[in-house]
mmCIF file of all heavy atoms in Angstrom:
data_model
loop_
_atom_site.group_PDB
_atom_site.id
_atom_site.type_symbol
_atom_site.label_atom_id
_atom_site.label_comp_id
_atom_site.label_asym_id
_atom_site.label_seq_id
_atom_site.Cartn_x
_atom_site.Cartn_y
_atom_site.Cartn_z
ATOM 1 N N TRP A 307 19.900 104.794 -66.775
ATOM 2 C CA TRP A 307 19.957 105.003 -68.228
ATOM 3 C C TRP A 307 19.580 103.732 -68.972
ATOM 4 O O TRP A 307 19.619 102.635 -68.410
ATOM 5 C CB TRP A 307 21.353 105.470 -68.669
ATOM 6 C CG TRP A 307 22.431 104.410 -68.556
ATOM 7 C CD1 TRP A 307 23.066 104.002 -67.420
ATOM 8 C CD2 TRP A 307 22.976 103.615 -69.619
ATOM 9 N NE1 TRP A 307 23.975 103.008 -67.695
ATOM 10 C CE2 TRP A 307 23.954 102.752 -69.048
ATOM 11 C CE3 TRP A 307 22.760 103.555 -71.009
ATOM 12 C CZ2 TRP A 307 24.692 101.840 -69.806
ATOM 13 C CZ3 TRP A 307 23.503 102.649 -71.766
ATOM 14 C CH2 TRP A 307 24.456 101.809 -71.164
ATOM 15 N N ALA A 308 19.202 103.886 -70.252
ATOM 16 C CA ALA A 308 18.910 102.734 -71.110
ATOM 17 C C ALA A 308 19.014 103.166 -72.568
ATOM 18 O O ALA A 308 18.598 104.269 -72.924
ATOM 19 C CB ALA A 308 17.504 102.199 -70.827
ATOM 20 N N GLY A 309 19.572 102.275 -73.377
ATOM 21 C CA GLY A 309 19.661 102.522 -74.820
ATOM 22 C C GLY A 309 21.003 103.084 -75.230
ATOM 23 O O GLY A 309 21.687 103.757 -74.440
ATOM 24 N N ALA A 310 21.407 102.783 -76.463
ATOM 25 C CA ALA A 310 22.676 103.270 -77.002
ATOM 26 C C ALA A 310 22.611 103.164 -78.522
ATOM 27 O O ALA A 310 21.704 102.527 -79.066
ATOM 28 C CB ALA A 310 23.842 102.437 -76.471
ATOM 29 N N LEU A 311 23.584 103.787 -79.182
ATOM 30 C CA LEU A 311 23.691 103.630 -80.637
ATOM 31 C C LEU A 311 24.861 102.710 -80.953
ATOM 32 O O LEU A 311 25.802 102.584 -80.160
ATOM 33 C CB LEU A 311 23.917 104.984 -81.312
ATOM 34 C CG LEU A 311 22.842 106.047 -81.082
ATOM 35 C CD1 LEU A 311 23.138 107.284 -81.927
ATOM 36 C CD2 LEU A 311 21.447 105.523 -81.385
ATOM 37 N N THR A 312 24.823 102.097 -82.119
ATOM 38 C CA THR A 312 25.968 101.302 -82.576
ATOM 39 C C THR A 312 27.135 102.241 -82.852
ATOM 40 O O THR A 312 26.958 103.461 -82.931
ATOM 41 C CB THR A 312 25.644 100.584 -83.900
ATOM 42 O OG1 THR A 312 25.399 101.587 -84.912
ATOM 43 C CG2 THR A 312 24.442 99.665 -83.763
ATOM 44 N N ILE A 313 28.318 101.687 -83.057
ATOM 45 C CA ILE A 313 29.394 102.481 -83.640
ATOM 46 C C ILE A 313 28.966 102.831 -85.070
ATOM 47 O O ILE A 313 28.104 102.154 -85.647
ATOM 48 C CB ILE A 313 30.747 101.717 -83.658
ATOM 49 C CG1 ILE A 313 30.624 100.365 -84.380
ATOM 50 C CG2 ILE A 313 31.298 101.555 -82.259
ATOM 51 C CD1 ILE A 313 31.959 99.662 -84.620
ATOM 52 N N PRO A 314 29.559 103.891 -85.652
ATOM 53 C CA PRO A 314 29.232 104.168 -87.053
ATOM 54 C C PRO A 314 29.733 103.027 -87.930
ATOM 55 O O PRO A 314 30.720 102.361 -87.593
ATOM 56 C CB PRO A 314 30.014 105.452 -87.359
ATOM 57 C CG PRO A 314 31.054 105.560 -86.296
ATOM 58 C CD PRO A 314 30.532 104.839 -85.097
ATOM 59 N N ARG A 315 29.035 102.782 -89.031
ATOM 60 C CA ARG A 315 29.458 101.738 -89.959
ATOM 61 C C ARG A 315 29.513 102.326 -91.356
ATOM 62 O O ARG A 315 28.617 103.067 -91.749
ATOM 63 C CB ARG A 315 28.466 100.574 -89.938
ATOM 64 C CG ARG A 315 28.352 99.965 -88.568
ATOM 65 C CD ARG A 315 27.310 98.874 -88.525
ATOM 66 N NE ARG A 315 27.205 98.360 -87.158
ATOM 67 C CZ ARG A 315 26.450 97.332 -86.810
ATOM 68 N NH1 ARG A 315 25.727 96.705 -87.718
ATOM 69 N NH2 ARG A 315 26.408 96.929 -85.559
ATOM 70 N N GLU A 316 30.552 101.982 -92.072
ATOM 71 C CA GLU A 316 30.686 102.449 -93.451
ATOM 72 C C GLU A 316 30.065 101.399 -94.358
ATOM 73 O O GLU A 316 30.376 100.213 -94.245
ATOM 74 C CB GLU A 316 32.167 102.636 -93.754
ATOM 75 C CG GLU A 316 32.427 103.454 -94.963
ATOM 76 C CD GLU A 316 33.911 103.795 -95.104
ATOM 77 O OE1 GLU A 316 34.594 103.999 -94.062
ATOM 78 O OE2 GLU A 316 34.381 103.838 -96.247
ATOM 79 N N LEU A 317 29.179 101.838 -95.254
ATOM 80 C CA LEU A 317 28.459 100.890 -96.102
ATOM 81 C C LEU A 317 29.149 100.711 -97.449
ATOM 82 O O LEU A 317 29.696 101.656 -98.014
ATOM 83 C CB LEU A 317 27.027 101.376 -96.351
ATOM 84 C CG LEU A 317 26.149 101.615 -95.128
ATOM 85 C CD1 LEU A 317 24.726 101.961 -95.558
ATOM 86 C CD2 LEU A 317 26.132 100.381 -94.209
ATOM 87 N N SER A 318 29.115 99.493 -97.963
ATOM 88 C CA SER A 318 29.486 99.257 -99.358
ATOM 89 C C SER A 318 28.594 98.141 -99.889
ATOM 90 O O SER A 318 27.935 97.435 -99.119
ATOM 91 C CB SER A 318 30.975 98.917 -99.488
ATOM 92 O OG SER A 318 31.316 97.865 -98.631
ATOM 93 N N VAL A 319 28.552 98.028 -101.206
ATOM 94 C CA VAL A 319 27.735 96.975 -101.832
ATOM 95 C C VAL A 319 28.621 96.209 -102.799
ATOM 96 O O VAL A 319 29.344 96.807 -103.594
ATOM 97 C CB VAL A 319 26.526 97.588 -102.582
ATOM 98 C CG1 VAL A 319 25.813 96.517 -103.410
ATOM 99 C CG2 VAL A 319 25.545 98.218 -101.612
ATOM 100 N N ARG A 320 28.592 94.872 -102.651
ATOM 101 C CA ARG A 320 29.332 94.019 -103.605
ATOM 102 C C ARG A 320 28.438 92.866 -104.006
ATOM 103 O O ARG A 320 27.894 92.170 -103.148
ATOM 104 C CB ARG A 320 30.606 93.474 -102.945
ATOM 105 C CG ARG A 320 31.843 94.227 -103.409
ATOM 106 C CD ARG A 320 33.041 93.879 -102.580
ATOM 107 N NE ARG A 320 33.491 92.501 -102.747
ATOM 108 C CZ ARG A 320 34.234 91.853 -101.871
ATOM 109 N NH1 ARG A 320 34.592 92.438 -100.758
ATOM 110 N NH2 ARG A 320 34.617 90.618 -102.101
ATOM 111 N N GLU A 321 28.315 92.679 -105.291
ATOM 112 C CA GLU A 321 27.518 91.567 -105.826
ATOM 113 C C GLU A 321 26.142 91.471 -105.148
ATOM 114 O O GLU A 321 25.715 90.388 -104.732
ATOM 115 C CB GLU A 321 28.283 90.249 -105.693
ATOM 116 C CG GLU A 321 29.568 90.238 -106.504
ATOM 117 C CD GLU A 321 30.384 88.985 -106.295
ATOM 118 O OE1 GLU A 321 29.806 87.929 -105.949
ATOM 119 O OE2 GLU A 321 31.618 89.070 -106.469
ATOM 120 N N GLY A 322 25.494 92.597 -105.002
ATOM 121 C CA GLY A 322 24.139 92.591 -104.462
ATOM 122 C C GLY A 322 24.057 92.313 -102.974
ATOM 123 O O GLY A 322 22.977 92.026 -102.455
ATOM 124 N N ARG A 323 25.212 92.391 -102.264
ATOM 125 C CA ARG A 323 25.205 92.214 -100.802
ATOM 126 C C ARG A 323 25.644 93.516 -100.139
ATOM 127 O O ARG A 323 26.575 94.179 -100.607
ATOM 128 C CB ARG A 323 26.194 91.107 -100.369
ATOM 129 C CG ARG A 323 25.919 89.749 -100.949
ATOM 130 C CD ARG A 323 25.022 88.892 -100.102
ATOM 131 N NE ARG A 323 25.523 88.672 -98.744
ATOM 132 C CZ ARG A 323 24.720 88.390 -97.712
ATOM 133 N NH1 ARG A 323 23.416 88.324 -97.883
ATOM 134 N NH2 ARG A 323 25.230 88.161 -96.510
ATOM 135 N N LEU A 324 24.991 93.844 -99.027
ATOM 136 C CA LEU A 324 25.372 95.026 -98.247
ATOM 137 C C LEU A 324 26.482 94.651 -97.274
ATOM 138 O O LEU A 324 26.353 93.679 -96.527
ATOM 139 C CB LEU A 324 24.159 95.535 -97.467
ATOM 140 C CG LEU A 324 24.406 96.740 -96.556
ATOM 141 C CD1 LEU A 324 24.734 97.984 -97.370
ATOM 142 C CD2 LEU A 324 23.176 96.997 -95.676
ATOM 143 N N LEU A 325 27.573 95.403 -97.305
ATOM 144 C CA LEU A 325 28.672 95.183 -96.361
ATOM 145 C C LEU A 325 28.739 96.362 -95.400
ATOM 146 O O LEU A 325 28.533 97.510 -95.797
ATOM 147 C CB LEU A 325 30.014 95.073 -97.091
ATOM 148 C CG LEU A 325 30.110 94.077 -98.243
ATOM 149 C CD1 LEU A 325 31.528 94.015 -98.779
ATOM 150 C CD2 LEU A 325 29.695 92.693 -97.781
ATOM 151 N N GLN A 326 29.047 96.074 -94.148
ATOM 152 C CA GLN A 326 29.160 97.122 -93.124
ATOM 153 C C GLN A 326 30.493 96.969 -92.412
ATOM 154 O O GLN A 326 30.807 95.876 -91.937
ATOM 155 C CB GLN A 326 28.053 96.963 -92.081
ATOM 156 C CG GLN A 326 26.657 96.978 -92.649
ATOM 157 C CD GLN A 326 25.665 96.355 -91.685
ATOM 158 O OE1 GLN A 326 25.504 96.817 -90.580
ATOM 159 N NE2 GLN A 326 25.010 95.297 -92.115
ATOM 160 N N ASN A 327 31.239 98.073 -92.355
ATOM 161 C CA ASN A 327 32.532 98.013 -91.679
ATOM 162 C C ASN A 327 32.774 99.229 -90.814
ATOM 163 O O ASN A 327 32.360 100.335 -91.184
ATOM 164 C CB ASN A 327 33.652 97.903 -92.725
ATOM 165 C CG ASN A 327 33.773 96.485 -93.250
ATOM 166 O OD1 ASN A 327 34.162 95.578 -92.524
ATOM 167 N ND2 ASN A 327 33.379 96.277 -94.503
ATOM 168 N N PRO A 328 33.462 99.040 -89.688
ATOM 169 C CA PRO A 328 33.816 100.197 -88.862
ATOM 170 C C PRO A 328 34.732 101.112 -89.668
ATOM 171 O O PRO A 328 35.671 100.629 -90.314
ATOM 172 C CB PRO A 328 34.591 99.578 -87.692
ATOM 173 C CG PRO A 328 34.247 98.124 -87.731
ATOM 174 C CD PRO A 328 33.953 97.777 -89.136
ATOM 175 N N PRO A 329 34.489 102.418 -89.676
ATOM 176 C CA PRO A 329 35.359 103.311 -90.430
ATOM 177 C C PRO A 329 36.760 103.389 -89.810
ATOM 178 O O PRO A 329 36.932 103.181 -88.610
ATOM 179 C CB PRO A 329 34.647 104.663 -90.355
ATOM 180 C CG PRO A 329 33.646 104.552 -89.278
ATOM 181 C CD PRO A 329 33.366 103.109 -89.037
ATOM 182 N N ARG A 330 37.726 103.708 -90.643
ATOM 183 C CA ARG A 330 39.136 103.831 -90.221
ATOM 184 C C ARG A 330 39.302 104.733 -89.000
ATOM 185 O O ARG A 330 40.146 104.470 -88.131
ATOM 186 C CB ARG A 330 39.932 104.516 -91.360
ATOM 187 C CG ARG A 330 40.641 103.611 -92.290
ATOM 188 C CD ARG A 330 41.992 104.262 -92.691
ATOM 189 N NE ARG A 330 43.107 103.413 -92.276
ATOM 190 C CZ ARG A 330 43.480 102.349 -92.960
ATOM 191 N NH1 ARG A 330 42.861 101.986 -94.058
ATOM 192 N NH2 ARG A 330 44.496 101.615 -92.533
ATOM 193 N N GLU A 331 38.493 105.785 -88.947
ATOM 194 C CA GLU A 331 38.646 106.785 -87.879
ATOM 195 C C GLU A 331 38.606 106.156 -86.488
ATOM 196 O O GLU A 331 39.160 106.700 -85.542
ATOM 197 C CB GLU A 331 37.523 107.830 -87.956
ATOM 198 C CG GLU A 331 37.707 108.872 -89.037
ATOM 199 C CD GLU A 331 37.007 108.482 -90.328
ATOM 200 O OE1 GLU A 331 36.879 107.271 -90.612
ATOM 201 O OE2 GLU A 331 36.616 109.401 -91.061
ATOM 202 N N LEU A 332 37.944 105.014 -86.344
ATOM 203 C CA LEU A 332 37.826 104.426 -85.001
ATOM 204 C C LEU A 332 39.172 103.925 -84.472
ATOM 205 O O LEU A 332 39.322 103.679 -83.278
ATOM 206 C CB LEU A 332 36.785 103.294 -84.990
ATOM 207 C CG LEU A 332 35.350 103.700 -85.306
ATOM 208 C CD1 LEU A 332 34.380 102.599 -84.921
ATOM 209 C CD2 LEU A 332 34.943 104.996 -84.607
#
Side-chain angles (χ1 to χ4, degrees):
W307 70 282
L311 301 186
T312 63
I313 55 171
R315 300 176 182 185
E316 196 171 325
L317 302 186
S318 53
V319 171
R320 257 169 67 201
E321 297 175 26
R323 300 269 303 155
L324 178 67
L325 308 185
Q326 303 160 60
N327 281 292
R330 264 217 119 79
E331 282 93 330
L332 297 195

